[in-house]
Amino acid sequence: LLLDPQKFRDTYLTAKGEKRAYVDLNELKTLWFLTGSRCNLQCEHCYIESSPKNDRLDYITVEDVKRHLDEIQELGWETKHLGFTGGEPFLNPQMVDILEHALWRGFHCLVLSNAYRMINRHKDRLLLLNEKYHNQLCLRISLDHYTEEYHEKERGPGTFKKALENIKWLHDMGFQVGIAGRSLNDKDQETAHARYQELLQAEGISLPWDNPDLFVVFPEMDTNKDVPEITEACWGILNKSPDDVMCASQRMIVKHKGQDTTTVMPCTLIAYDKAFAQGKSLRDAKQPVYLNHPFCAQFCVLGGASCSS
Ligand code: SF4
């Protein structure tokens, strides 16, 4: 069933006229930066729709990152974790400088990468950063499946071996490295977990399997399918707390094309929808987030996905 066009139209009310659920920011545990929407791959189900040609989100700069880290300090927030996602972060010409600055300031940094070629350009500098800031730096690589066939259906020919090679290199060089997989055609996530472990262990790669930041298998979502709208009453009915949803503790910084500065968005899932833009400064990030997007129901409230634990 396709998404009902009457749903997700009014910020505060659902199509049935009920009060839409909202989420307050309790504490900013993780600040994400979307480093740019360009990617060196064009995956079939990328929810950011990244590709070599997608420039709807500009590359963020060291200055952009500094500004928001200064804000965290000025606001007296205790945020310790930063995440970097794209697009492919290592396409951003300033990515390693950005990391160096953030690590120097004491933040723990998680970088989500496809490990397909771009990482190779930065190996020397990454080794230096890892030597200096090993405990603060993690790279999580997207491996869409534990078989070459399914991974390459999504990501294109030649991508599986390259990604595995780079995962192995990062592992052998002593980086904190992780994997983001997908359950695709598996009957459940446990099966997918087990198959990923088998593949990686056969390559001599051992991961902290219990750390959800470093080993995660995302459930499959059909973004066109009809989903219920989440009302205030849903929290009780589903026995779920708004505090468990990503936007209760995370925000993401993006730079929309044509804007001279960055914008605060509620989470990593919603990058373009300007109705969700919270302003230019983290001071604006305290506004409640009304769950007026199909992803809110599908990924978060009903699906339980999060980019970071
Ligand atoms: S998609 Fe999830 S994290 Fe993002 S605004 Fe909706 S509920 Fe919050």
Side-chain angles (χ1 to χ4, degrees):
L1 201 60
L2 290 180
L3 185 65
D4 176 352
Q6 297 307 315
K7 292 181 178 174
F8 302 103
R9 290 176 69 156
D10 183 299
T11 306
Y12 305 107
L13 296 176
T14 67
K16 288 187 189 154
E18 293 168 298
K19 283 189 186 165
R20 192 178 296 289
Y22 64 89
V23 172
D24 284 317
L25 179 73
N26 294 332
E27 173 195 1
L28 185 70
K29 286 193 180 151
T30 304
L31 180 63
W32 288 87
F33 291 92
L34 197 149
T35 57
S37 52
R38 281 209 175 88
C39 188
N40 52 342
L41 298 178
Q42 186 162 357
C43 303
E44 217 170 301
H45 294 99
C46 177
Y47 66 87
I48 299 288
E49 297 160 15
S50 296
S51 76
K53 289 194 184 139
N54 181 349
D55 61 353
R56 289 167 67 197
L57 301 171
D58 278 337
Y59 290 132
I60 55 152
T61 64
V62 180
E63 285 310 312
D64 295 328
V65 173
K66 272 187 189 164
R67 182 168 78 82
H68 291 296
L69 301 189
D70 289 347
E71 284 176 348
I72 287 174
Q73 212 172 341
E74 286 153 22
L75 288 160
W77 288 355
E78 303 214 337
T79 312
K80 293 188 175 58
H81 296 269
L82 305 180
F84 298 90
T85 183
E88 167 52 44
F90 290 109
L91 270 181
N92 180 320
Q94 296 191 22
M95 187 59 220
V96 184
D97 297 324
I98 287 170
L99 267 182
E100 190 165 22
H101 178 76
L103 292 164
W104 172 74
R105 284 178 75 149
F107 288 92
H108 289 253
C109 296
L110 173 67
V111 188
L112 313 189
S113 166
N114 60 35
Y116 180 70
R117 295 187 191 278
M118 291 314 299
I119 216 167
N120 299 46
R121 295 192 185 174
H122 304 289
K123 280 184 170 172
D124 290 346
R125 285 188 70 196
L126 285 174
L127 281 170
L128 289 175
L129 286 184
N130 192 49
E131 203 180 304
K132 208 161 165 189
Y133 302 107
H134 172 75
N135 293 331
Q136 292 166 246
L137 176 64
C138 294
L139 289 102
R140 192 170 79 195
I141 311 301
S142 301
L143 198 66
D144 276 334
H145 203 248
Y146 46 82
T147 66
E148 185 166 359
E149 182 194 349
Y150 280 99
H151 176 88
E152 296 198 351
K153 243 185 206 165
E154 185 70 24
R155 302 199 159 228
T159 52
F160 186 75
K161 283 210 174 75
K162 273 269 161 284
L164 260 189
E165 259 169 46
N166 276 332
I167 294 165
K168 176 104 177 100
W169 180 83
L170 288 164
H171 174 267
D172 292 353
M173 291 296 130
F175 285 83
Q176 295 193 72
V177 62
I179 298 287
R182 291 169 53 190
S183 50
L184 285 179
N185 55 342
D186 287 295
K187 66 176 188 322
D188 55 51
Q189 280 184 276
E190 287 69 40
T191 312
H193 269 246
R195 297 287 104 79
Y196 272 104
Q197 282 197 37
E198 280 165 25
L199 167 79
L200 295 166
Q201 280 169 341
E203 296 286 328
I205 299 165
S206 173
L207 300 185
W209 308 110
D210 295 333
N211 179 340
D213 270 348
L214 290 184
F215 181 48
V216 57
V217 177
F218 288 112
E220 277 321 289
M221 303 287 172
D222 177 355
T223 50
N224 290 319
K225 121 176 159 197
D226 197 35
V227 282
E229 294 185 279
I230 306 299
T231 66
E232 283 186 0
C234 287
W235 301 121
I237 296 165
L238 297 167
N239 194 20
K240 215 168 158 146
S241 162
D243 299 346
D244 300 335
V245 178
M246 201 194 313
C247 51
S249 59
Q250 306 185 31
R251 288 291 182 263
M252 180 168 75
I253 304 297
V254 305
K255 199 173 203 176
H256 292 120
K257 186 178 178 176
Q259 304 278 306
D260 53 5
T261 186
T262 45
T263 300
V264 181
M265 300 298 284
C267 67
T268 56
L269 297 167
I270 302 177
Y272 301 111
D273 190 338
K274 297 215 173 125
F276 281 80
Q278 294 201 302
K280 305 291 173 203
S281 156
L282 283 174
R283 288 182 177 78
D284 306 317
K286 270 281 184 188
Q287 299 163 47
V289 178
Y290 283 83
L291 307 196
N292 188 22
H293 196 287
F295 287 176
C296 303
Q298 210 185 359
F299 283 87
C300 298
V301 182
L302 305 173
S306 169
C307 263
S308 140
S309 60

